[in-house]
Amino acid sequence: MNIEYLEYFYKVALAGSISRVAKDAHISQSALSQQISKLEETLGCKLLERSNKGVELTDKGMIVLKYADIIIRTYNSMLEELKTVEKNNRKIKIEACWSIATYSLPCVMYRIKNKFPNYTYELNPNDPDIIEKNVINNICDLGVIYNKPVNEQLSYHYIGVDRLELVASSNYRIDEEIHFKDLLKHPFIMLKDKTYLEDTLIKKMDKLGFKVDDLKILYNSDSVESVKSSVLNEFGIAFLPYTAIKKELYNEQLKLIKIKDFSIRYDMYLIYDSKSKEDQVLHEFIEYFKKVCGKYLC
């Protein structure tokens, strides 16, 4: 038996009118009448007598009405309990660019855990192109990346900005403000963690008539911590995400080097499948995630 047919019958029986219920439900009278007829066919008896004045319950219709209320309320209680179990057992998988996962999201995850204490969470770093694929293929529930997603199936929401800052050890000899061409004078460690640093540098150097090979690159690394360690040991200078070096700046282990007329900023976006609204639990989580990220990125 279709529970929806029973619900419509219950509403019609109480209202005494098919037209009134059809109007409230935004469906046609004929469609509503067909659904009640299907219920009568399923139960093998006539439930309503129709007339110009409305509808009246038959004797068997009275019996069905008596149990309909119990059945409908029991069914709705079952759905609520299923939702509760789903919420209590829900596992949320999040992927983010390495520096975001490591430095920006821990404070957010702390507050999310307080809001949804019964959920379990996975927060894993990954490359942005892989994160997009994993969200689309439901390998993870949502992602956080630099720049807007390429895949048009994904919805996105701006959550903040990160900067790549030129840094040196506090004891390293370099002016606090330099021209871009002065980068060529110093040993340089190149961060290659899909933050598009190299592309940005290449474009800037092309404008100035230089090539990236003109930099005194000690080595390339996709590890922020490896690059940071080299800078702290005074092996050279490097661009690092601001979120990754706040502690070292506060403790005066590192210092910022300003480059005249040059800066690197990346917008951060929460990405999720456009169909996520169909999952009420996930949709509620994503909406809260948006609010929290705006305030509590580390």
Side-chain angles (χ1 to χ4, degrees):
M1 180 179 65
N2 191 316
I3 194 70
E4 187 178 44
Y5 298 165
L6 187 63
E7 286 182 312
Y8 277 129
F9 161 76
Y10 181 75
K11 291 177 181 178
V12 169
L14 294 181
S17 170
I18 290 178
S19 61
R20 194 185 310 164
V21 174
K23 183 179 180 180
D24 291 342
H26 303 291
I27 61 174
S28 66
Q29 291 187 45
S30 60
L32 180 52
S33 293
Q34 288 176 14
Q35 293 193 23
I36 293 175
S37 294
K38 288 179 181 178
L39 178 62
E40 290 176 327
E41 290 176 11
T42 301
L43 297 176
C45 60
K46 195 171 185 64
L47 302 176
L48 299 172
E49 293 288 354
R50 298 159 177 82
S51 69
N52 293 332
K53 296 180 181 179
V55 295
E56 291 184 2
L57 289 167
T58 63
D59 290 342
K60 291 184 178 180
M62 292 288 290
I63 295 173
V64 174
L65 176 63
K66 180 175 67 173
Y67 287 99
D69 180 42
I70 299 171
I71 294 170
I72 293 168
R73 284 192 287 110
T74 301
Y75 177 77
N76 289 333
S77 295
M78 179 189 70
L79 293 181
E80 288 299 319
E81 189 169 343
L82 288 173
K83 289 178 183 178
T84 300
V85 171
E86 182 181 4
K87 285 185 176 182
N88 289 340
N89 295 325
R90 190 62 184 257
K91 186 175 188 178
I92 303 292
K93 296 181 180 179
I94 304 167
E95 292 189 1
C97 294
W98 195 90
S99 56
I100 298 175
T102 306
Y103 303 108
S104 298
L105 290 183
C107 298
V108 172
M109 297 307 301
Y110 173 77
R111 284 164 176 80
I112 283 177
K113 184 63 177 179
N114 287 337
K115 173 68 174 179
F116 303 103
N118 294 321
Y119 294 4
T120 56
Y121 303 93
E122 280 187 14
L123 174 59
N124 297 313
N126 219 329
D127 293 335
D129 51 344
I130 297 177
I131 294 173
E132 289 194 30
K133 291 178 183 178
N134 286 348
V135 173
I136 289 294
N137 294 318
N138 297 317
I139 295 173
C140 64
D141 296 298
L142 60 152
V144 183
I145 61 174
Y146 292 114
N147 300 323
K148 294 178 181 179
V150 175
N151 195 309
E152 295 182 354
Q153 295 182 55
L154 292 169
S155 295
Y156 57 87
H157 180 80
Y158 170 82
I159 61 170
V161 66
D162 197 3
R163 307 187 306 272
L164 283 178
E165 299 281 8
L166 182 64
V167 294
S169 168
S170 296
N171 297 321
Y172 187 87
R173 296 185 63 182
I174 186 172
D175 293 337
E176 292 183 0
E177 186 173 11
I178 64 174
H179 291 281
F180 188 89
K181 63 182 180 181
D182 294 330
L183 285 176
L184 307 181
K185 302 176 182 178
H186 299 273
F188 188 82
I189 303 101
M190 178 71 79
L191 176 65
K192 298 173 72 74
D193 72 337
K194 296 294 182 73
T195 54
Y196 314 106
L197 168 62
E198 190 171 11
D199 291 342
T200 304
L201 290 179
I202 289 173
K203 290 177 182 177
K204 180 65 176 179
M205 295 184 81
D206 282 343
K207 290 181 180 179
L208 296 175
F210 299 110
K211 296 181 180 179
V212 72
D213 291 340
D214 294 328
L215 290 170
K216 297 178 181 179
I217 298 178
L218 292 180
Y219 67 90
N220 299 291
S221 176
D222 60 2
S223 167
V224 172
E225 289 300 315
S226 175
V227 175
K228 188 195 300 186
S229 176
S230 294
V231 174
L232 287 169
N233 282 292
E234 302 181 34
F235 298 156
I237 61 177
F239 284 99
L240 286 168
Y242 178 74
T243 53
I245 57 174
K246 288 193 292 185
K247 179 181 177 181
E248 287 77 12
L249 290 173
Y250 179 79
N251 293 330
E252 298 184 349
Q253 296 171 281
L254 293 175
K255 60 185 176 183
L256 297 178
I257 310 301
K258 183 178 179 181
I259 303 179
K260 296 178 180 178
D261 301 322
F262 183 74
S263 64
I264 306 176
R265 294 165 57 91
Y266 295 113
D267 290 335
M268 293 186 286
Y269 288 89
L270 169 67
I271 62 171
Y272 49 95
D273 195 316
S274 301
K275 299 178 182 178
S276 62
K277 288 184 179 180
E278 298 172 8
D279 183 334
Q280 185 177 348
V281 174
L282 181 58
H283 177 65
E284 180 184 356
F285 178 86
I286 289 173
E287 290 305 305
Y288 185 74
F289 195 96
K290 292 177 184 178
K291 294 179 182 179
V292 173
C293 279
K295 298 179 180 179
Y296 298 112
L297 286 173
C298 292

